[in-house]
């Protein structure tokens, strides 16, 4: 076994007495250290059961589960769970205990002394963005839903477990809070490099959070287990494609960043250049626009030859406004910027706002068409949903 | 994850109002009313010309003995009921025993639904008259509210809290002691209060199988047609019941876990 393997499920099954079909059947999966593995699938597919078998809240009926090389079925369940972070959708903060007590529960069970528990609780509250001096003595009901879930995450991290299990952790929050919590968590994960098993039924959340995504069918059967990019580009079968839903191409735009595509160059017009010189420059570069920039090379306006003839005076007020994106922005942001600009191009700027290049709709189209076409799922079966939607069709749920 | 605006908005730290202040406001009325009633009864009896029988029945030592017996019966009943019904309720909410709960409450229901005097007489036929028979009757009579409230109180604890507790590695016993019981305390204590008041009332019947208590004053008053004796017995019984209920209320307020509304 490779050194980097953190969790290894081997032929794991779960039967309940009195039920013919197993809830989870012969599930095998290898998870590397530092990955966020998202288990995604329809309700009742056994994804939560699979997750709970890893910390043995549910005992597997057969198979082996190795964490860092140790078979967990041989360990004491309570000891095991103290070494695995656990976050649930309902947060589950104990209402009669202060925030600090909640966070310190696992260290306390591990026998840390009081000073160390208090220091750790403060450190974690700080880490999740809650000022310890203000929040440590609060009761859970004195916090907003988003704050409660931050405390929930802090509690799960308390004993610095290498593995975390998260069961729809952001599912109960409103869309804005959810988005913020997801971003914060991803940033946190960059520092912490935990191995995380994350359960959700929201495919968009899966794409956003997952290093790899396992799309599960009935009885936790793995239909496809791959990176978000590959999953979107090559759904293994019609069920997976259906689960991805419409607009797979649009979703791909979320995964790629501006710095991953080729930028184009446009003529720049420096501020000190005379109008006439600028005009000549534009006429040489036939039919296109140029960008006026300031002394620091920051983009100002789009101008074309026509702008310069009508406005014989100053260069400053001529032309169209510029929309900019940073190299780290997603292609969706870039598309948004392009659509906002009349010329269908967005200017890429560095962190100081200086011109770095431009991206255009044409360039974007090329990227999308270079990714392999998703196969038409369920050919011959009249299934409207499964058909890949044209990229331009932006339905409300994808926005 | 720091977000400065959020912290600023929440900077006004909430300080809960003093616990004692609220306690005083909520619980001061009942002792005052009881004191007035007791004083009124005392003055009335004092102003009445008492005959031999009345004087003997209302002697201070006699009254203290009756109250003492009554309190002893009630207190022992409470201890036994909390032990039996509280313990039973906890057992009946464990996953392995849960299926037994309907049978147990059914049984406890029989104890309570049987008229108390009938239960007392029936028990005395088999167990003889006296203190312990009365105690058994009182316990049988008061088990139901505590048993039922313990079961309900524990079952109403959010299942996700229990899952969260188990999920972070608490043992089932730790979950019971640190989560389920503390959160069930208000409901359980409400049951104990009901049981206490019931026990005080039913303990007046103890006199029929010569186990003493305030019932003897009432019965003497009725049989010998002495109104002062009857009223004194009734007032003392009612005062005792209300005092214990009040005490239960205070204790329940003190033990109520913070963080619940």
């Amino acid at each position: 076994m490779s050194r980097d393997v953190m969790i290894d499920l081997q032929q794991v099954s779960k039967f309940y007495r009195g039920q013919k079909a197993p809830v989870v059947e012969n599930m095998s999966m290898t998870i590397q250290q530092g990955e966020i593995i998202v288990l995604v699938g329809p309700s009742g597919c056994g994804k939560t059961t699979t997750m709970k078998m890893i910390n043995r809240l549910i005992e597997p009926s057969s198979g082996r589960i190795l964490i860092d090389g140790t078979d967990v079925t041989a360990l004491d369940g309570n000891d095991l769970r103290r070494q695995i972070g656990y976050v649930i959708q309902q947060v589950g903060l104990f209402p009669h205990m202060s925030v600090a007590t909640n966070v310190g529960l696992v260290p306390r069970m591990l026998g840390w002394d009081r000073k160390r528990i208090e220091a750790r609780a403060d450190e974690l509250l700080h880490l999740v963005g809650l000022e310890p001096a203000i929040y440590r003595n609060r009761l859970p009901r004195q916090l907003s839903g988003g704050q409660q879930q931050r405390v929930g995450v802090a509690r799960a991290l308390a004993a610095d477990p290498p593995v975390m299990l998260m069961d729809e952790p952001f599912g109960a929050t409103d869309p804005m809070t959810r988005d913020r919590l997801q971003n914060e968590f991803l940033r946190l994960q960059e520092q912490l490099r935990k191995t995380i098993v994350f359960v959700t039924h929201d495919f968009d959340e899966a794409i956003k959070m997952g290093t790899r995504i396992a799309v599960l069918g009935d009885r936790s059967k793995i239909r496809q287990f791959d990176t978000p990019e590959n999953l979107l580009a090559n759904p293994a079968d019609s069920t997976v494609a259906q689960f991805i839903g419409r607009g797979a191409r649009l979703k791909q735009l979320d995964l790629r960043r501006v710095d991953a595509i080729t930028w184009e160059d446009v003529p720049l017009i420096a501020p000190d250049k005379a109008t006439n010189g600028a005009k000549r420059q534009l006429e040489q570069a036939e039919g296109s626009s140029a960008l006026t920039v300031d002394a620091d090379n920051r983009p100002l306006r789009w101008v074309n030859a026509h702008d310069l003839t009508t406005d014989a005076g100053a260069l400053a007020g001529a032309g169209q406004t510029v929309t900019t994106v940073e190299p780290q922005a997603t292609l969706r942001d870039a598309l948004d910027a392009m659509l906002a600009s009349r010329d269908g191009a967005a200017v890429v700027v560095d962190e100081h706002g200086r011109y770095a290049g431009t991206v255009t709709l044409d360039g974007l189209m090329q990227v999308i068409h270079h990714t392999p076409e998703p196969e038409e799922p369920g050919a011959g079966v009249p299934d409207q949903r499964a058909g890949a939607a044209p990229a331009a069709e932006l339905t409300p749920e994808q926005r | 994850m720091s977000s400065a605006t959020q912290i600023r908005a929440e900077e006004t730290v909430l300080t809960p109002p003093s616990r004692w202040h609220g306690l005083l406001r909520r619980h001061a009325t009942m002792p005052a009313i009881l004191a007035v009633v007791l004083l009124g009864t005392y003055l009335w009896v004092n102003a009445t010309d008492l005959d031999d029988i009345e004087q003997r029945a209302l002697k201070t030592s006699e009254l203290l003995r009756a109250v003492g017996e009554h309190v002893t019966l009630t207190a022992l009943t409470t201890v036994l009921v909390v032990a039996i019904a509280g313990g039973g309720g906890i057992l009946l909410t464990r996953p392995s025993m849960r299926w037994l709960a309907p049978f147990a409450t059914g049984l406890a229901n029989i104890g309570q639904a049987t008229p108390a005097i009938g239960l007392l007489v029936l028990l005395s036929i088999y167990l003889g008259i006296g203190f312990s028979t009365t105690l058994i009757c009182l316990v049988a009579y008061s088990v139901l509210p505590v048993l039922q409230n313990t079961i309900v109180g524990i079952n109403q604890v959010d299942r996700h809290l229990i899952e969260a507790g188990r999920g972070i590695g608490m043992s089932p016993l730790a979950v019971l002691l640190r989560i389920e019981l503390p959160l069930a305390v208000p409901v359980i204590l409400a049951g104990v209060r009901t049981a206490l008041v019931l026990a005080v009332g039913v303990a007046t019947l103890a006199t029929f199988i010569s186990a003493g208590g305030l019932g003897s004053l009432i019965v003497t008053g009725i049989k010998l047609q002495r109104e002062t004796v009857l009223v004194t017995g009734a007032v003392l019984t009612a005062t005792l019941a209300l005092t214990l209920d009040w005490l239960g209320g205070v204790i329940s307020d003190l033990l109520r876990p913070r963080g619940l509304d």
Side-chain angles (χ1 to χ4, degrees), chain B residues 182-196:
Chain B
L183 293 175
V185 152
V187 183
I188 296 176
L189 283 183
V192 174
R193 271 170 85 176
T194 311
L196 267 175

Side-chain angles (χ1 to χ4, degrees), chain B residues 120-186:
Chain B
L120 196 67
V121 170
L122 279 177
L123 282 174
S124 66
I125 290 171
Y126 292 103
L127 303 172
I129 57 172
F131 184 80
S132 43
T133 306
T134 314
L135 196 59
I136 291 172
C137 173
L138 284 178
V139 169
Y141 199 68
S142 337
V143 152
L144 183 68
V146 181
L147 183 71
Q148 205 144 43
N149 278 36
T150 307
I151 293 175
V152 169
I154 291 178
N155 282 342
Q156 52 102 45
V157 173
D158 189 350
R159 276 203 53 259
H160 296 117
L161 294 182
I162 295 166
E163 196 206 318
R166 297 286 288 135
I168 63 171
M170 292 171 100
S171 64
L173 184 65
V175 170
L176 174 69
L177 295 180
R178 299 210 59 197
I179 300 166
E180 290 177 284
L181 280 183
L183 293 175
V185 152

Side-chain angles (χ1 to χ4, degrees), chain A residues 378-394:
Chain A
V381 183
D383 186 344
Q384 303 228 319
R385 272 193 63 82
E393 191 182 317
L394 203 62

Side-chain angles (χ1 to χ4, degrees), chain A residues 81-82 86 96 138 184, chain B residues 1 10 163 166 169 178:
Chain A
R81 286 186 281 275
R82 284 171 206 172
Y86 189 57
H96 55 305
R138 292 251 181 117
E184 286 172 356
Chain B
M1 281 200 195
E10 308 264 350
E163 196 206 318
R166 297 286 288 135
R178 299 210 59 197

Side-chain angles (χ1 to χ4, degrees), chain A residues 85 102-107 110 112 120-121 124 153-161:
Chain A
N102 266 292
V103 173
L105 277 170
V106 178
L110 294 174
W112 295 17
R120 179 65 177 157
L124 283 162
V153 170
R155 179 172 70 183
L157 289 169
D160 202 15

Side-chain angles (χ1 to χ4, degrees), chain A residues 4-24:
Chain A
D4 292 346
V5 173
M6 196 62 188
I7 304 174
D8 194 11
L9 304 178
Q10 300 175 349
Q11 300 284 313
V12 178
S13 297
K14 178 66 190 177
F15 300 87
Y16 283 109
R17 231 184 317 168
Q19 278 179 21
K20 250 194 203 142
V23 185
V24 175

Side-chain angles (χ1 to χ4, degrees), chain A residues 132-395:
Chain A
I134 296 171
Y135 291 100
R136 76 165 81 84
N137 293 323
R138 292 251 181 117
L139 292 167
R141 73 176 154 93
Q142 296 170 316
L143 305 178
S144 70
Q147 290 171 334
Q148 288 186 15
Q149 193 53 286
R150 283 164 216 238
V151 177
V153 170
R155 179 172 70 183
L157 289 169
D160 202 15
V163 173
M164 284 181 75
L165 307 180
M166 307 181 84
D167 191 357
E168 304 207 23
F170 311 127
T173 44
D174 63 87
M176 261 175 67
T177 312
R178 185 184 316 150
D179 200 50
R180 209 172 57 223
L181 288 174
Q182 287 169 343
N183 294 338
E184 286 172 356
F185 187 75
L186 285 174
R187 216 174 310 140
L188 209 58
Q189 165 68 357
E190 274 178 24
Q191 300 171 36
L192 300 174
R193 313 298 306 161
K194 301 290 181 197
T195 306
I196 295 165
V197 177
F198 191 110
V199 165
T200 183
H201 62 258
D202 176 356
F203 193 73
D204 291 326
E205 182 170 61
I207 293 175
K208 182 167 181 184
M209 304 303 288
T211 318
R212 285 190 293 161
I213 298 173
V215 182
L216 304 182
D218 280 349
R219 282 165 281 142
S220 223
K221 178 179 173 338
I222 299 179
R223 293 193 166 274
Q224 193 168 6
F225 186 28
D226 213 330
T227 59
E229 290 84 355
N230 290 343
L231 209 62
L232 284 174
N234 291 311
D237 56 32
S238 60
T239 320
V240 175
Q242 222 168 1
F243 201 77
I244 292 171
R246 296 172 134 215
R249 288 188 186 82
L250 270 177
K251 286 171 188 172
Q252 285 180 47
L253 293 181
D254 275 328
L255 294 171
R256 300 193 167 209
R257 305 201 173 271
V258 171
D259 55 9
I261 66 171
T262 351
W263 304 342
E264 290 161 33
D265 265 323
V266 292
L268 297 183
I269 301 177
D272 48 351
K273 195 165 270 182
T275 313
N276 274 343
K279 201 171 163 189
R280 207 173 316 122
Q281 198 181 338
L282 266 176
E283 277 158 1
Q284 280 164 10
E286 210 172 308
S288 68
S289 303
L291 201 58
T292 60
V293 291
D294 68 6
D296 281 335
N297 225 20
R298 293 196 190 90
L300 295 173
R301 318 273 292 174
W302 285 112
V303 290
N304 54 31
H306 179 69
D307 294 326
L308 295 180
T309 36
T310 50
D311 191 351
L315 201 55
Q320 302 294 325
T321 49
V322 163
T323 49
T324 60
V325 288
E326 294 198 358
Q328 299 81 31
T330 63
L331 289 187
R332 180 189 284 258
D333 296 332
L335 177 63
D336 191 55
M338 289 171 202
L339 293 174
S341 137
R342 210 184 59 174
D343 296 79
V347 178
V348 185
V349 294
D350 66 13
E351 65 267 36
H352 305 293
R354 286 193 287 259
Y355 170 87
T358 61
V359 284
T360 61
L361 273 178
D362 284 344
L364 205 63
M365 294 287 282
Q366 267 178 1
V367 176
I368 297 302
H369 285 283
H370 263 99
T371 51
E373 279 287 306
E375 280 167 45
E376 275 304 313
V381 183
D383 186 344
Q384 303 228 319
R385 272 193 63 82
E393 191 182 317
L394 203 62
T395 58

